[in-house]
Amino acid sequence: MAATQEVRVPDIGDFKEVAVIEILVKVGDHVEPETSLITVESDKATMEIPSPTAGVVREIKLAVGDKVAEGSLVLMLEADVGQAASPAAPSAPAPAPASAPKQSQPAPSAPVQTNAPPAAPAAVTSMASAGRPVPREPRDALQTTPHASPSVRKFARELGVDLHAVTGTGPKGRIQQADVQALVKSVMSGASAARSSAGPSSASPFNLPAWPEVDFAKFGPIESVALSRIQKLSGPYLHRNWVSIPHITQFDEADITELEAFRKDSAGQAEKQGLKLTMLAFLVKACVTALKQFPQFNASLEKGGENVIIKKYFHIGVAVDTPGGLVVPVVRDADRKGVFDVAKELAEISRLARDGKLKAGDMQGGTFSISSLGGIGGTAFTPIINAPEVAILGVSRSQMRPVWNGREFAPRLMLPLSLSYDHRVIDGAAGARFTTYLTSVLSDIRRSLL
Ligand code: CAO
């Protein structure tokens, strides 16, 4: 007849009293050697206590929340016939004998045999030798390690669920099996995809935690305002570009003291032609000069990512802020236009954009974009690349600043530039060379003639 044996907490190292946080089996369950029976947790770690042998759970001797130590009775197990019919368990918890394998020793792959040395306190020794407690990550690591028992981890692993994506509803935010199931269910029902397109939440495709659903009205008065039509249309594309392009942003400053003086000198002449000669027109021309020098910035990555398509035309997109949202009309063949023509065209496309009269074709075919916030303010920002382009120049507000010229500080008008580029196509060194060259062109616009 099968023997019922006590299963006790084995040697768990230095821990004197640890809390039972999970009971992983129930009466009647058949367990195998190494099956996890309970999970215990100290201040520093959680670990699972495995079964020493195969058998049927007859009685569970503790409850969640109980404090246990080495030797505490876990449950009564009716060992399978031919399995570990160990000698009677000690009546009181006993320390594992010196000969019993310790936590630091590797656990044997096979369960303890029935001919275990009679001197060994059966349950404890069996437990310690059949399967040492499996420590989990230290609690210190919980910032980056999800808080879950080994069995839940195993469950998540089997389903291919990254526990970082799961919100734990257990005590201290511990992830429970039901939480893993809930995430799988929401992904399968498409809820995550919906969340992903509704906001920057996205449990999919990055397995991020679900976007918090907060009842803001609980904290104060609120008003819900619909996004504009343009925001709704462009949001998913901005999101796609932001998450799928490895952006690097290179910052630099151009000394535009002379250029600004030239612009002001030419303003009268431009006015006679009925146009406003803006810094932006010069920036478009300077960028074309730099793009000719660095063709990989006037390019697109071919689908499949094997080739880069270098474009031999220069269509510069310009971000325009409109009451309805951001649009990016394109100045075509900017290399073939003089700065006055570019200024005229910029004024025209900005007006059309603000009046909502741009046609779809006006916003297509761009090879490089400029986003200028210089008229508003700021010192730098990180523009999002306008795919399938591979780079975009952000322009912030110029400022007169003291600049050391080798002999003294001189007042110079400095223009901050923020170049974001696709690191799959452009190396960091090329990014820095591009902005260095661009700033030299802006500092001495005669370079654009070379
Ligand atoms: N530094 C200092 N002053 C600047 C400047 C700069 N970099 N750029 C423009 N200014 C000045 C202009 O000289 C002008 O001054 P005056 O009125 O005294 O002549 C004033 O700021 C306003 O300029 P503007 O904005 O009307 O004209 P612009 O040519 O600089 O820009 C446009 C045109 C269409 C780019 C701009 O109106 C715009 O919409 N910018 C926003 C783009 C945007 O939203 N980008 C964000 C993308 S990321 O979400």
Side-chain angles (χ1 to χ4, degrees), residues 263 276 278 280 318-321 326 350 354 371-375 395-398 415:
R263 188 181 77 88
K276 187 177 173 188
T278 62
L280 190 58
V318 176
V320 179
D321 179 35
L326 184 72
S350 303
R354 290 188 174 122
S371 174
S372 174
L373 294 173
V395 182
S396 298
R397 192 166 191 77
S398 59
L415 179 71

Side-chain angles (χ1 to χ4, degrees), residues 68-69 78 147 370 413 448:
V68 295
E78 187 180 302
H147 190 19
I370 300 177
L413 186 62
S448 59

Side-chain angles (χ1 to χ4, degrees), residues 163-170 173-176 179-180 183 209-210:
L163 283 176
H164 290 92
V166 184
T167 307
T169 58
R174 187 182 307 119
I175 296 168
Q176 297 173 324
D179 299 326
V180 178
L183 179 79

Side-chain angles (χ1 to χ4, degrees), residues 91-393:
S91 53
S99 60
K102 294 284 180 202
Q103 222 176 305
S104 58
Q105 292 175 262
S109 53
V112 165
Q113 296 305 305
T114 49
N115 57 355
V124 173
T125 307
S126 305
M127 178 87 79
S129 43
R132 61 200 164 131
V134 181
R136 267 188 36 200
E137 297 79 1
R139 295 293 300 279
D140 295 353
L142 286 179
Q143 287 287 46
T144 51
T145 308
H147 190 19
S149 71
S151 62
V152 171
R153 285 169 183 281
K154 185 164 173 274
F155 179 66
R157 248 192 333 270
E158 283 166 2
L159 295 176
V161 172
D162 179 352
L163 283 176
H164 290 92
V166 184
T167 307
T169 58
K172 297 186 204 164
R174 187 182 307 119
I175 296 168
Q176 297 173 324
Q177 185 161 327
D179 299 326
V180 178
Q181 283 164 331
L183 179 79
V184 171
K185 210 168 153 192
S186 80
V187 170
M188 294 309 288
S189 67
S192 290
R195 274 202 306 275
S196 162
S197 60
S201 56
S202 178
S204 144
F206 296 104
N207 276 344
L208 298 175
W211 194 249
E213 282 177 33
V214 179
D215 177 9
F216 299 107
K218 268 195 340 204
F219 305 105
I222 58 164
E223 183 191 355
S224 175
V225 180
L227 291 178
S228 72
R229 194 182 64 86
I230 293 176
Q231 283 175 318
K232 281 187 204 152
L233 286 173
S234 60
Y237 292 100
L238 287 166
H239 189 183
R240 176 200 64 191
N241 296 349
W242 181 245
V243 299
S244 62
I245 301 173
H247 282 69
I248 302 276
T249 303
Q250 172 72 44
F251 302 105
D252 212 332
E253 283 186 319
D255 181 340
I256 57 163
T257 318
E258 264 87 52
L259 181 57
E260 178 64 1
F262 178 66
R263 188 181 77 88
K264 283 189 172 151
D265 281 353
S266 313
Q269 195 189 340
E271 257 173 49
K272 281 189 198 143
Q273 295 185 31
L275 53 96
K276 187 177 173 188
L277 188 56
T278 62
M279 183 54 70
L280 190 58
F282 288 98
L283 280 162
V284 169
K285 290 300 293 177
C287 283
V288 169
T289 304
L291 292 169
K292 284 183 175 171
Q293 193 75 14
F294 297 90
Q296 73 269 41
F297 287 79
N298 199 53
S300 286
L301 194 58
E302 213 175 59
K303 207 175 173 190
E306 299 280 317
N307 299 304
V308 174
I309 296 167
I310 307 283
K311 294 156 198 169
K312 307 292 167 117
Y313 50 88
F314 299 87
H315 298 344
I316 309 300
V318 176
V320 179
D321 179 35
T322 77
L326 184 72
V327 289
V328 189
V330 174
V331 177
R332 281 172 206 286
D333 299 311
D335 56 319
R336 294 196 228 147
K337 291 174 180 160
V339 75
F340 276 28
D341 295 328
V342 171
K344 194 171 168 195
E345 198 168 327
L346 282 172
E348 179 64 8
I349 57 176
S350 303
R351 189 183 58 73
L352 288 174
R354 290 188 174 122
D355 293 349
K357 294 202 170 129
L358 285 174
K359 298 189 201 74
D362 296 335
M363 291 176 278
Q364 288 168 0
T367 59
F368 179 88
S369 292
I370 300 177
S371 174
S372 174
L373 294 173
I376 302 167
T379 53
F381 63 107
T382 52
I384 299 177
I385 296 164
N386 190 17
E389 296 165 24
V390 294
I392 180 169
L393 182 74

